[in-house]
Amino acid sequence: MGSKPWLYPAPTYRTLETYWDNDEDAPGPRCGHTLTAVAPTKTHGPRLILFGGATAIEGGSSSAPGIRLAGVTNSVHSYDVLTRKWTRITPAGEPPSPRAAHAAAAVGTMVVFQGGIGPAGHSTDDLYVLDMTNDKFKWHRVVVQGQGPGPRYGHVMDLVAQRYLVTVSGNDGKRVLSDSWVLDTAQKPYVWQRLNPEGDRPSARMYATASARSDGMFLLCGGRDFSGVPLADAYGLLMHRNGQWEWTLAPGVSPSPRYQHAAVFVGARLHVTGGALRGGRAVEGEAAIAVLDTAAGVWLDRNGLVTSSRTSRGHGEHDPSLELMRRCRHASASVAVRIYIHGGLRGDILLDDFLVAENSSFQPEINYPILTSERVSNLSTPRFGQPTLSTPVVTTSDGGLEISPSGAQRLDKNSIEKLREASAAEAEAANAVWQAAQAASTIPAEEASVSDDNSPAAETASDASDSEADVRLHPRAVVVAKETIGNLGGMVRQLSLDQFENESRRMIPSNNDLSYPTKKFTRQRSPQGLHKKIISTLLRPRNWKAPTNRRFFLDSYEVGELCYAAEQIFIQEPTVLQLKAPIKVFGDLHGQFGDLMRLFDEYGFPSTAGDITYIDYLFLGDYVDRGQHSLETITLLLALKIEYPENVHLIRGNHEAADINALFGFRLECVERMGENDGIWAWTRFNQLFNYLPLAALIEKKIICMHGGIGRSINSVEQIEKLERPITMDAGSIILMDLLWSDPTENDSVEGLRPNARGPGLVTFGPDRVTDFCKRNKLQLIIRAHECVMDGFERFAQGQLITLFSATNYCGTANNAGAILVVGRGLVIVPKLIHPLPPPIQSPETSPERVADDTWMQELNIQRPPTPTRGRPQPDHDRSSLAYI
């Protein structure tokens, strides 16, 4: 097929049956409209927002000059992805004027509209925001100071890096434009800034498409120049940390020039459909469906790799699926792995059909070779050829999912509609049942199960190999999203990853390294089996529920005994733990005990009835604060440490300090749930214990784990080892502050040391610091926590550092996934994710604990706003603000 085995061809589109209550709810035939995917809210799953467009045409066929669009509207229709139902909505506030050929972009649960052309001519360049956060939808007109792009139509716009609203090209009624503008949604007052990007600039064009990749690349594709000639090129727009923007010409050969087409990213693949050629003739044949794979730097059609442009039908046989895509002026959007297309124009016929396709076919081999000779050189900012996330899956004609090629396992028809959009900073989830065995495994398919790479069979296979181990990220992650409705239970999804950039570095296996400490810990007795009482009460992964009675089940005496028993173990441990794989690594939990139980339930729990016999557990700190079940979280982890002292490991986070957790919820929780006297005593005793916690951990002497980072002061592991415990934050050195508080810089392009927005005296460290530290200490990877990341894990420094966060929907507002990392015996790392739970079916009257949760979060967030999610702007609590999300 002319395609490498890891380059998936372009997909095939099919008609999707949808529903509505009455004719007014149906969007009907239209063209020149927009379709925008909106993130889930507490009350709704993912939705598509269709706005504006022309509902009639005048003046003959599309091939005749002078065709006019008529019936231009400003109606808004919402498509519920889960129910496949269209609804016309009428938001409050002043709506935008009727318009077509406008631009739209999603900002969280809001949609921003700008420009276009209507019955009265050009629309203004005002920004209109449709707020979908609550059930009461509302229009806002955003006040922008100074000069802006001005009225235009046929332009493009999208949100870059979850922050910058970028608009490019179009027609102002006098000429075709090539300018670029940006608006920072995190900075008030809002101001449009005209860009002067470096690099290969695209020529003036209109009716192009643009879509932003999840890691911050804005990709401009095709269009029509000032003389009406369709264009085939594509350009990526990137922003460097110094504020300078740069255009980069995309490699590869496009199947066809085109304009008035549609394009949308799924992972690293830009899905391009339809379009028109000169004279209004439609792009047809195989060229009508194309994919620009920005990770590989190539164009693909349904036959695979494209090596030459073609503007005519590629074969003589009639293909209904290709005929279906012969259209222009249509609209597209994506949710998870699915690409949706609505309407458009075919000849002189307005279309009202709704099409869908999946990003790519599922492949049973989960370890495709990524040929280093075919990779583009590593760059400090996201560029073409840089690996990103992809999501292979296959969908049957009846809407279900199946494993290909065997097709032995299937989900029911409704399961595919349970997709929930992952607010990915690096990933999009795919709905496919996880295949636990690796490609080389001989385990029969019917015996495969969700695995932590720690089953006895897997370990035997690993031990039988004499090859050297290498630290690398597994090309698949496991994703679970539980639904609170229906009988589907937890849905296991698959999220595809490329391998680490440095995974080819070889190392000597250290499974039999005798240099590790051989000290055996004596299990500390707690009075009358106190730790066993705690485990039996709290370790209930499948059926734990938040207690309606907030009174904590331990008294201060029991807390003291628990802390003493755990403290004796921590005293015997080194400051830097020496651990072996396989091991599970957990990031911040922040009192979100329900998430800990979900992770245990989905991916195994530390018990002889679970997987403690085969795998260790490492927790990276921040057990308390923010969430309202800090007491359950820390007491269970301490009890597990006492029960399994050589298998459960805890290190310290920055919130394991009295001056911090006095402010962010833990002290308040102790007082509210144990009474003032007992609560203050218990809180004080916990913080005495925290001073004894180890500060870092080495896994197989190749991976170092810490809470914060290396900051400005840490150049060697020995510096951490020399810190003497017990140690308090105020008595600690700058090394302790860096270890618990520092963060990586915003992205790989920002090197050196920079001030940290968390506060004075704190720093962020660049990828050069990570590389130097790893090289100096003969390490291959740093795993750290400390920052909320949208997908639960995030890579930095070309994969030499991973940030890990295990609590979902941090502070009740972030809507992030939670993740753990499973380090297998062969040092292959598998990310395993859970997504935030949807709101409960019960009303607030029947769910008082939910009201308590919400109240707790809201009050604490107001008093102590959370640190922004990594890569996201600081939330602005002005509901009319673009930066609100």
Side-chain angles (χ1 to χ4, degrees):
M1 297 208 310
S3 173
K4 296 292 188 294
W6 49 277
L7 295 176
Y8 307 123
T12 297
Y13 289 79
R14 67 183 189 280
T15 303
L16 181 66
E17 184 180 7
T18 59
Y19 310 95
W20 51 84
D21 290 336
N22 54 62
D23 291 343
E24 188 181 58
D25 288 325
R30 68 180 66 201
C31 68
H33 53 303
T34 53
L35 190 67
T36 312
V38 175
T41 65
K42 291 184 178 181
T43 56
H44 288 90
R47 288 169 290 180
L48 303 179
I49 302 303
L50 187 153
F51 172 75
T55 60
I57 59 174
E58 300 172 351
S61 69
S62 63
S63 62
I67 183 173
R68 298 176 61 86
L69 302 180
V72 178
T73 180
N74 62 354
S75 64
V76 184
H77 296 261
S78 172
Y79 174 76
D80 190 312
V81 173
L82 305 184
T83 63
R84 298 196 300 189
K85 184 177 180 180
W86 285 104
T87 305
R88 180 168 180 173
I89 60 176
T90 307
E94 179 186 353
S97 61
R99 61 190 66 196
H102 53 281
V107 183
T109 54
M110 297 182 286
V111 185
V112 183
F113 301 94
Q114 197 267 343
I117 192 166
H122 287 76
S123 304
T124 67
D125 66 345
D126 292 342
L127 286 177
Y128 284 87
V129 175
L130 177 58
D131 189 351
M132 307 285 291
T133 307
N134 295 323
D135 289 335
K136 296 180 179 179
F137 311 136
K138 188 173 182 180
W139 284 110
H140 303 281
R141 188 172 67 86
V142 179
V143 176
V144 181
Q145 295 187 357
Q147 182 181 2
R152 63 181 64 197
Y153 69 97
H155 56 305
V156 292
M157 182 173 70
D158 207 354
L159 189 71
V160 174
Q162 293 84 44
R163 176 170 178 173
Y164 300 100
L165 200 63
V166 174
T167 184
V168 175
S169 70
N171 189 318
D172 64 0
K174 300 176 182 177
R175 63 189 182 280
V176 178
L177 305 169
S178 62
D179 54 350
S180 308
W181 296 77
V182 64
L183 183 145
D184 188 346
T185 65
Q187 295 291 332
K188 279 189 167 183
Y190 299 123
V191 177
W192 280 109
Q193 177 188 355
R194 182 162 183 164
L195 298 179
N196 184 28
E198 298 176 342
D200 300 321
R201 300 189 185 188
S203 59
R205 64 192 66 205
M206 61 186 296
Y207 294 134
T209 57
S211 183
R213 204 167 75 175
S214 59
D215 58 7
M217 175 187 285
F218 177 91
L219 193 67
L220 179 71
C221 175
R224 188 180 76 187
D225 69 10
F226 68 95
S227 62
V229 175
L231 304 170
D233 50 9
Y235 292 83
L237 181 63
L238 305 166
M239 188 188 76
H240 299 293
R241 280 299 297 136
N242 62 5
Q244 181 62 49
W245 294 74
E246 179 184 2
W247 283 109
T248 303
L249 179 65
V253 179
S254 172
S256 172
R258 67 188 82 210
Y259 64 94
Q260 293 177 348
H261 52 296
V264 64
F265 264 116
V266 176
R269 289 160 57 90
L270 183 77
H271 290 259
V272 180
T273 54
L277 299 171
R278 192 162 193 173
R281 182 167 55 92
V283 177
E284 54 187 7
E286 293 293 347
I289 303 174
V291 167
L292 173 55
D293 189 325
T294 60
V298 296
W299 280 92
L300 303 143
D301 61 15
R302 297 195 313 166
N303 295 319
L305 189 65
V306 175
T307 57
S308 62
S309 182
R310 45 185 176 265
T311 58
S312 61
R313 188 178 299 273
H315 55 80
E317 298 180 7
H318 176 72
D319 188 331
S321 63
L322 292 176
E323 178 65 18
L324 199 63
M325 199 47 65
R326 191 169 64 86
R327 64 183 68 207
C328 63
R329 296 180 183 262
H330 52 294
S332 69
S334 66
V335 176
V337 296
R338 282 194 157 189
I339 306 102
Y340 296 90
I341 289 176
H342 178 271
L345 191 65
R346 181 182 298 138
D348 58 354
I349 300 174
L350 278 175
L351 304 174
D352 66 349
D353 52 354
F354 196 48
L355 311 180
V356 67
E358 281 70 44
N359 177 43
S360 58
S361 299
F362 180 83
Q363 303 292 332
E365 299 85 359
I366 59 178
N367 278 320
Y368 276 121
I370 305 299
L371 305 178
T372 55
S373 62
E374 296 175 356
R375 279 181 176 163
V376 173
S377 301
N378 298 334
L379 298 167
S380 60
T381 53
R383 293 176 185 265
F384 303 105
Q386 179 168 331
T388 59
L389 306 183
S390 59
T391 47
V393 66
V394 67
T395 304
T396 62
S397 58
D398 64 355
L401 291 178
E402 65 180 13
I403 299 300
S404 174
S406 67
Q409 303 182 43
R410 296 184 63 171
L411 300 179
D412 60 69
K413 180 177 180 180
N414 292 329
S415 297
I416 186 62
E417 299 306 333
K418 296 298 180 182
L419 292 168
R420 297 188 62 86
E421 184 181 13
S423 301
E426 279 195 47
E428 317 242 354
N431 283 45
V433 178
W434 172 250
Q435 294 292 306
Q438 298 184 10
S441 174
T442 58
I443 301 175
E446 60 270 16
E447 295 177 10
S449 62
V450 174
S451 168
D452 292 317
D453 291 343
N454 60 323
S455 64
E459 292 183 13
T460 302
S462 178
D463 290 344
S465 173
D466 294 327
S467 63
E468 296 178 345
D470 53 356
V471 178
R472 62 188 178 94
L473 198 60
H474 197 288
R476 296 287 190 273
V478 180
V479 187
V480 169
K482 279 193 173 180
E483 307 293 343
T484 59
I485 57 177
N487 58 0
L488 296 176
M491 183 184 297
V492 181
R493 302 174 178 177
Q494 184 177 29
L495 177 142
S496 238
L497 301 173
D498 271 300
Q499 300 167 329
F500 266 13
E501 293 299 320
N502 65 340
E503 68 181 355
S504 59
R505 295 168 60 188
R506 308 303 294 174
M507 51 177 279
I508 299 175
S510 55
N511 290 351
N512 299 318
D513 191 344
L514 299 179
S515 65
Y516 278 91
T518 57
K519 174 184 280 188
K520 297 291 184 180
F521 293 113
T522 302
R523 181 175 297 162
Q524 298 298 313
R525 293 185 175 275
S526 53
Q528 300 174 351
L530 172 62
H531 74 280
K532 292 184 180 293
K533 167 188 170 182
I534 294 170
I535 292 173
S536 64
T537 301
L538 294 179
L539 187 57
R540 298 184 176 183
R542 186 56 56 89
N543 54 16
W544 181 84
K545 293 182 179 179
T548 53
N549 180 3
R550 286 280 289 165
R551 184 74 185 180
F552 193 52
F553 70 99
L554 298 180
D555 59 30
S556 59
Y557 171 79
E558 292 172 311
V559 168
E561 294 297 332
L562 176 73
C563 288
Y564 176 79
E567 196 172 77
Q568 298 310 300
I569 299 174
F570 293 136
I571 289 173
Q572 298 177 59
E573 292 184 324
T575 299
V576 178
L577 301 173
Q578 300 286 339
L579 307 178
K580 290 190 175 184
I583 188 169
K584 297 180 192 176
V585 186
F586 291 69
D588 291 24
L589 292 168
H590 279 298
Q592 295 185 206
F593 190 73
D595 285 334
L596 179 61
M597 290 300 100
R598 289 178 62 205
L599 288 165
F600 282 172
D601 184 29
E602 299 299 342
Y603 303 129
F605 56 96
S607 164
T608 52
D611 57 13
I612 198 68
T613 306
Y614 307 115
I615 194 165
D616 283 5
Y617 285 71
L618 171 62
F619 299 86
L620 300 186
D622 277 14
Y623 314 113
V624 300
D625 282 345
R626 292 293 185 189
Q628 71 157 356
H629 296 107
S630 293
L631 283 170
E632 283 87 350
T633 303
I634 187 60
T635 53
L636 176 61
L637 293 181
L638 293 178
L640 290 170
K641 179 65 181 177
I642 296 168
E643 181 68 10
Y644 308 108
E646 296 178 53
N647 306 105
V648 175
H649 312 282
L650 281 68
I651 66 173
R652 188 175 187 177
N654 64 305
H655 281 258
E656 277 70 64
D659 55 345
I660 300 301
N661 59 50
L663 301 175
F664 290 90
F666 185 44
R667 184 180 186 273
L668 177 62
E669 181 182 339
C670 290
V671 170
E672 286 188 353
R673 301 184 66 188
M674 300 183 68
E676 185 166 359
N677 292 333
D678 280 3
I680 292 296
W681 193 93
W683 171 76
T684 302
R685 185 64 186 90
F686 277 121
N687 278 290
Q688 291 172 348
L689 164 79
F690 292 156
N691 293 331
Y692 287 91
L693 286 173
L695 300 176
L698 277 172
I699 300 174
E700 301 286 3
K701 297 188 175 181
K702 293 295 179 183
I703 304 170
I704 189 167
C705 303
M706 59 188 67
H707 180 73
I710 56 177
R712 84 213 83 175
S713 63
I714 302 175
N715 298 306
S716 69
V717 177
E718 289 73 19
Q719 289 177 274
I720 307 172
E721 292 174 332
K722 290 179 181 179
L723 294 175
E724 296 183 358
R725 297 167 297 141
I727 185 170
T728 60
M729 295 295 288
D730 53 356
S733 65
I734 191 173
I735 294 175
L736 183 64
M737 291 297 293
D738 280 344
L739 191 65
L740 300 187
W741 282 93
S742 66
D743 299 301
T745 54
E746 187 171 337
N747 57 54
D748 283 6
S749 67
V750 187
E751 297 188 338
L753 297 172
R754 302 294 175 94
N756 194 321
R758 292 180 185 270
L762 304 177
V763 300
T764 61
F765 53 93
D768 52 330
R769 287 276 295 138
V770 174
T771 299
D772 291 346
F773 180 83
C774 289
K775 184 176 181 180
R776 184 191 300 260
N777 293 274
K778 298 181 180 179
L779 299 170
Q780 291 191 6
L781 179 64
I782 298 173
I783 300 176
R784 47 90 65 174
H786 194 42
E787 284 186 288
C788 178
V789 288
M790 287 307 299
D791 297 301
F793 74 104
E794 182 177 295
R795 291 169 283 178
F796 179 77
Q798 300 292 346
Q800 294 178 95
L801 181 147
I802 297 178
T803 296
L804 182 65
F805 202 84
S806 297
T808 68
N809 196 25
Y810 181 47
C811 292
T813 60
N815 200 35
N816 62 287
I820 63 173
L821 297 179
V822 180
V823 183
R825 186 176 294 276
L827 298 185
V828 176
I829 300 172
V830 181
K832 301 200 171 185
L833 285 69
I834 57 173
H835 283 293
L837 288 174
I841 296 176
Q842 296 92 340
S843 66
E845 291 74 16
T846 58
S847 298
E849 70 278 4
R850 184 77 183 205
V851 175
D853 279 358
D854 292 344
T855 303
W856 175 276
M857 288 285 193
Q858 291 168 4
E859 292 180 354
L860 189 56
N861 289 349
I862 293 172
Q863 297 169 7
R864 306 283 177 187
T867 303
T869 304
R870 181 168 174 81
R872 295 293 180 96
Q874 171 70 48
D876 185 333
H877 294 277
D878 176 1
R879 288 304 300 260
S880 65
S881 167
L882 283 177
Y884 176 76
I885 60 92

